[in-house]
Amino acid sequence: MPAFNSMFNNDPNPPRLIGNFPLLPLRTKLRGPVYPLPFPDPPLPANESPDPDSESYDILDETLALFRANTFFRNFEIQGPADRLLVYGIWFISDCLSKIRPTASLREATKDVMNLALDLNFAIPGDPGWPLNQMYEPPRDRQDAETLRQYMSQVRQELATRLLARVYADDETKPSKWWLSFTKRKFMGKGL
């Protein structure tokens, strides 16, 4: 059975690319280099995603939905630019889950996970620390690299916020065992 690819690969409006990393629109209040998608009306709880057919559904909703299924795969065929962002999102979610202790409350976990998300010293495609440089093209110049870093920082912060809402959806005093059971898994045998 093959891994699940992104439905955003088939988007009729091609995204802006830096190297071959897409800058897809996000449903967020955080400032960044892409335009924000509208929020659903009526508003949804923080731990739920809009319907995939909704204009508010974004790549981060899809990343969270496909994370648990895709972490079991050691091989992943990239079929379009959105898959590169999906892969990065899955790696980042794995890193976030490894920061959440089984006894941590929402407050403690938020501190640890948001410190990871807000850290600006992370590798981007083309850097020596990037896990799959053979599949990702580096940015053309310093300005593109800075724009990509801003976008990836925006993705990290928004993904961390949505992940915490899901991990602590049932109880703010302890994380979901269902989510934490994936902390030992490495998607494609790699991590950030």
Side-chain angles (χ1 to χ4, degrees), residues 5 46 104 113 188:
N5 293 85
V113 170
M188 297 173 65

mmCIF file of all heavy atoms in Angstrom, residues 5 46 104 113 188:
data_model
loop_
_atom_site.group_PDB
_atom_site.id
_atom_site.type_symbol
_atom_site.label_atom_id
_atom_site.label_comp_id
_atom_site.label_asym_id
_atom_site.label_seq_id
_atom_site.Cartn_x
_atom_site.Cartn_y
_atom_site.Cartn_z
ATOM 1 N N ASN A 5 -0.458 10.834 -0.490
ATOM 2 C CA ASN A 5 0.100 12.069 -1.022
ATOM 3 C C ASN A 5 -0.873 13.222 -0.796
ATOM 4 O O ASN A 5 -2.037 13.014 -0.492
ATOM 5 C CB ASN A 5 0.412 11.924 -2.506
ATOM 6 C CG ASN A 5 1.532 10.938 -2.743
ATOM 7 O OD1 ASN A 5 1.311 9.744 -2.818
ATOM 8 N ND2 ASN A 5 2.737 11.438 -2.846
ATOM 9 N N ALA A 46 -10.709 24.444 18.221
ATOM 10 C CA ALA A 46 -9.296 24.445 17.822
ATOM 11 C C ALA A 46 -8.779 23.070 17.436
ATOM 12 O O ALA A 46 -7.839 22.953 16.656
ATOM 13 C CB ALA A 46 -8.448 25.016 18.956
ATOM 14 N N ALA A 104 3.153 15.598 31.064
ATOM 15 C CA ALA A 104 3.112 17.061 30.930
ATOM 16 C C ALA A 104 1.681 17.571 30.777
ATOM 17 O O ALA A 104 0.867 16.981 30.065
ATOM 18 C CB ALA A 104 3.941 17.490 29.732
ATOM 19 N N VAL A 113 6.979 22.899 23.249
ATOM 20 C CA VAL A 113 6.721 22.802 21.806
ATOM 21 C C VAL A 113 6.859 24.169 21.131
ATOM 22 O O VAL A 113 7.429 24.277 20.037
ATOM 23 C CB VAL A 113 5.334 22.170 21.544
ATOM 24 C CG1 VAL A 113 4.941 22.276 20.096
ATOM 25 C CG2 VAL A 113 5.335 20.711 21.988
ATOM 26 N N MET A 188 10.056 7.946 6.983
ATOM 27 C CA MET A 188 11.126 7.736 6.011
ATOM 28 C C MET A 188 12.479 7.477 6.687
ATOM 29 O O MET A 188 13.530 7.621 6.081
ATOM 30 C CB MET A 188 11.242 8.938 5.058
ATOM 31 C CG MET A 188 10.003 9.155 4.210
ATOM 32 S SD MET A 188 10.026 10.663 3.247
ATOM 33 C CE MET A 188 11.370 10.359 2.113
#
